[in-house]
């Protein structure tokens, strides 16, 4: 006898098979109703066509008929874009030579500030000060040799702080000139002159021709061979230059 209050205990029902039947039935019903698995019914073609009619007619009204919106009111007859004359075609305004070289050199000084400090004062121990250094404000060829090749002492104070690694990798004449101009006129240094890109290029040549190319220079080598200024014509620090090319601004 089956207890009507506990129908689950009726053993003639195969529960697995009954469950399968229910799932198959539900899937078939869903197919007939065109209901997808996520429960959304596909949009009927009629609805899509009905929606397209206002969109298409709006497009026609805007584009063709010119009733809702017309370019006629916004573009005036004979209007042309003004093309600036050559000498005002944009680009940064010219700067005097000292300022132009300093601006470029200030960016390159980021190579040095890790050791010599943002204020150029070094740390008084492992890294010498560039502020007030006789080799920074003195002969430019000696300074160029230190920057390009590094220095294994002794430094200008007679003391050996350590070894400065070469900084010349990838430097062009204008980079070297700008960097030297910057440190010679920063941190309280004030030579007031410009180390031109031509002088910088000469420095690179002299450095590449060193007998001990690839090694740091020593105080002795500097004293023997490089206590002089780099060759090249001086440039009036007031000359107006294009700050990008560092060429005279009027030479366009
Ligand atoms: C990794 C650290 C380091 C970096 C980077 C570095 N230097 Fe030096 N620099 C030194 C050390 C150390 C000395 C001292 C070397 C010695 O005692 O022989 C020195 C010495 C100098 C000197 C000689 C100063 C004097 O009065 O004798 C100059 C000039 C100089 N550095 C300029 C530069 C410039 C410019 C840069 C960036 C392009 C630069 N250094 C990058 C560590 C560095």
């Amino acid at each position: 006898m089956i207890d009507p209050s506990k129908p689950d205990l009726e053993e003639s029902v195969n529960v697995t098979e009954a469950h399968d039947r229910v799932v198959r039935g539900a899937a078939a019903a869903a197919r007939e109703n065109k209901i997808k698995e996520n429960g959304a019914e596909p949009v009927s073609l009629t609805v899509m066509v009905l929606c397209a009619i206002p969109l298409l007619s709006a497009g026609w009204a805007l584009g063709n008929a010119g009733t809702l919106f017309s370019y006629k009111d916004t573009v005036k007859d004979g209007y042309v874009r003004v093309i600036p004359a050559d000498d005002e075609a944009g680009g940064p305004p010219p700067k005097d030579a000292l300022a132009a070289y300093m601006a470029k050199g200030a960016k390159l000084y980021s190579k040095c500030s890790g050791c010599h400090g943002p204020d150029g004062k070094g740390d008084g121990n492992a890294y010498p000060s560039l502020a007030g250094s006789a080799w920074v404000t003195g002969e430019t060829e000696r300074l160029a040799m230190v920057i390009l090749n590094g220095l294994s002492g002794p430094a200008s104070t007679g003391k050996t702080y350590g070894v400065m690694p070469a900084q010349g990798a990838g430097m062009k004449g204008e980079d070297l000139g700008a960097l030297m101009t910057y440190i010679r006129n920063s941190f309280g240094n004030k030579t007031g002159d410009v180390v031109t890109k031509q002088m910088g290029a000469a420095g690179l040549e002299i450095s590449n021709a060193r007998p001990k190319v690839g090694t740091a220079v020593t105080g002795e080598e500097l004293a023997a061979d490089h206590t002089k200024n780099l060759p090249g014509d001086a440039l009036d620090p007031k000359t107006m230059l294009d700050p990008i090319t560092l060429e005279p601004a009027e030479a366009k």
Side-chain angles (χ1 to χ4, degrees):
M1 241 339 249
I2 299 161
D3 180 351
S5 66
K6 298 176 181 168
D8 290 355
L9 296 181
E10 213 251 284
E11 278 173 8
S12 69
V13 176
N14 180 333
V15 178
T16 317
E17 192 196 85
H19 179 256
D20 271 359
R21 223 169 27 239
V22 172
V23 170
R24 276 198 306 273
R31 276 198 300 278
E32 289 205 358
N33 288 335
K34 293 188 185 166
I35 292 174
K36 295 210 222 125
E37 269 180 31
N38 61 9
E41 198 172 337
V43 178
S44 91
L45 191 57
T46 323
V47 174
M48 287 204 274
V49 169
L50 285 177
C51 289
I53 290 171
L55 288 177
L56 288 172
S57 38
W60 175 82
L62 283 169
N64 265 336
T67 47
L68 291 182
F69 179 78
S70 168
Y71 279 111
K72 283 194 192 92
D73 301 332
T74 57
V75 179
K76 298 190 171 56
D77 269 351
Y79 177 86
V80 285
R81 192 160 62 94
V82 177
I83 294 163
D86 224 19
D87 54 345
E88 40 184 63
K95 274 189 188 165
D96 70 72
L98 189 58
Y101 272 78
M102 292 279 287
K104 191 174 174 67
K107 291 189 194 133
L108 294 164
Y109 184 70
S110 60
K111 278 176 165 250
C112 329
S113 55
C115 293
H116 293 287
D119 61 358
K121 299 224 157 56
D123 64 354
N125 177 33
Y127 307 117
S129 175
L130 304 182
S133 156
W135 285 4
V136 171
T137 55
E139 288 85 346
T140 53
E141 184 174 318
R142 179 174 49 207
L143 178 56
M145 291 309 115
V146 172
I147 295 174
L148 293 176
N149 301 286
L151 176 66
S152 63
S156 66
T157 54
K159 181 180 157 185
T160 296
Y161 299 81
V163 178
M164 169 172 155
Q167 303 294 313
M171 256 194 218
K172 290 183 289 194
E174 61 187 87
D175 302 323
L176 182 59
L179 182 58
M180 290 171 69
T181 304
Y182 176 73
I183 62 175
R184 285 162 67 83
N185 292 284
S186 302
F187 326 127
N189 299 339
K190 200 156 183 39
T191 60
D193 59 355
V194 173
V195 183
T196 64
K197 53 182 183 177
Q198 290 80 9
M199 295 175 189
L204 290 172
E205 268 180 41
I206 295 169
S207 174
N208 289 333
R210 278 177 65 221
K212 293 187 197 158
V213 64
T215 62
V217 292
T218 61
E220 292 79 52
E221 184 186 342
L222 291 173
D225 298 336
H226 302 296
T227 311
K228 47 189 178 242
N229 281 320
L230 291 165
D233 294 336
L235 177 67
D236 181 349
K238 296 252 178 313
T239 315
M240 296 308 278
L241 300 185
D242 177 322
I244 307 280
T245 63
L246 301 181
E247 291 294 338
E250 55 273 9
K252 267 197 195 164

